[in-house]
């Protein structure tokens, strides 16, 4: 198996990525399987839909797993009991799209501007859920960008959020 090592300098030091072809579909199934008991404990419905034609991506499997885990874990954390989370992986022009949607507490327009900043935690999230460092989404964005991907959020306070990550397909 051919792989590419890449070192990325981050604020916390240097992170080494090992790039190879990654089946994000299998990776997402494993992450969701691991997090399903946490969702069940909070009485949250967790659904995963995977398009059979979703392509592999060139990436670091551990880091891509972190992306999926962080998004689903946050959706669980910021959803109220009885909530619903829908994760999906699908093929898009030139790549793969990972989307995680919840009907949790949502994020205001003002908070969205700061969401991916280091140590930022929404005042509302901090009030409702005291644990957290404010580094998860900062690190997640760095990982997505190191994979030549993009991340976007749509949300309305009190109505939930959708995080969408797009990665180029293996060429």
């Amino acid at each position: 198996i051919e792989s590419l090592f890449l070192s990325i300098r981050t604020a916390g030091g240097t992170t080494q990525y090992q790039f190879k072809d990654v089946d994000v579909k299998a990776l997402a199934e494993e992450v969701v399987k691991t997090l399903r008991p946490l969702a069940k404990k909070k009485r949250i419905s967790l659904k995963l839909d995977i398009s059979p034609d979703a392509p592999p991506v060139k990436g670091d499997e551990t880091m891509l797993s972190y992306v999926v885990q962080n998004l689903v874990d946050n959706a669980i954390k910021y959803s109220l009991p009885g909530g619903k989370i829908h994760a999906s992986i699908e093929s898009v022009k030139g790549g793969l799209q990972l989307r995680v949607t919840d009907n949790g507490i949502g994020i205001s327009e003002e908070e969205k501007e700061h969401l991916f900043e280091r140590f930022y935690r929404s005042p509302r999230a901090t009030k409702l859920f005291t644990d957290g460092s404010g580094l998860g989404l900062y690190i997640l964005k760095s990982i997505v960008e190191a994979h030549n991907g993009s991340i976007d959020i749509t949300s309305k306070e009190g109505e939930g959020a959708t995080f969408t990550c797009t990665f180029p397909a293996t060429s």
Side-chain angles (χ1 to χ4, degrees):
I1 296 175
E2 190 176 319
S3 64
L4 168 70
F5 285 94
L6 178 64
S7 292
I8 307 285
R9 181 105 174 106
T10 62
T14 301
T15 302
Q16 190 171 65
Y17 290 78
Q18 183 177 357
F19 284 78
K20 62 181 182 178
D21 290 351
V22 177
D23 179 3
V24 180
K25 299 177 291 187
L27 184 147
E29 287 174 335
E30 188 60 34
V31 168
V32 168
K33 180 180 169 186
T34 302
L35 292 174
R36 197 171 297 284
L38 181 61
K40 188 175 181 177
K41 184 177 181 181
K42 275 188 81 176
R43 298 185 335 268
I44 294 172
S45 163
L46 175 55
K47 182 179 178 187
L48 174 63
D49 286 324
I50 299 175
S51 174
D53 65 342
V57 299
K58 186 72 79 181
D60 183 292
E61 190 167 10
T62 301
M63 296 300 177
L64 290 172
S65 179
Y66 174 84
V67 169
V68 177
Q69 181 175 346
N70 184 278
L71 290 176
V72 175
D73 186 57
N74 278 352
I76 294 168
K77 184 186 297 183
Y78 296 111
S79 290
L80 301 175
K84 294 180 181 181
I85 298 168
H86 180 228
S88 65
I89 294 177
E90 58 187 309
S91 179
V92 293
K93 185 176 180 177
L96 174 136
Q97 187 173 77
L98 162 67
R99 180 175 286 140
V100 178
T101 301
D102 67 61
N103 64 346
I105 66 170
I107 300 158
S108 72
E109 286 300 317
E110 181 182 309
E111 292 169 337
K112 279 194 253 182
E113 293 177 29
H114 304 286
L115 200 58
F116 296 102
E117 292 174 6
R118 225 168 115 184
F119 302 118
Y120 179 77
R121 290 199 67 219
S122 146
R124 200 158 92 95
T126 304
K127 185 177 176 183
L128 291 171
F129 308 97
T130 57
D131 66 328
S133 65
L135 287 173
L137 289 174
Y138 169 78
I139 293 168
L140 183 139
K141 183 177 182 190
S142 298
I143 293 169
V144 170
E145 289 175 349
H147 285 80
N148 296 315
S150 63
I151 184 165
D152 187 42
I153 178 173
T154 55
S155 181
K156 190 167 184 184
E157 191 170 355
E159 294 183 18
T162 298
F163 284 86
T164 304
C165 297
T166 306
F167 299 97
T170 301
S171 45

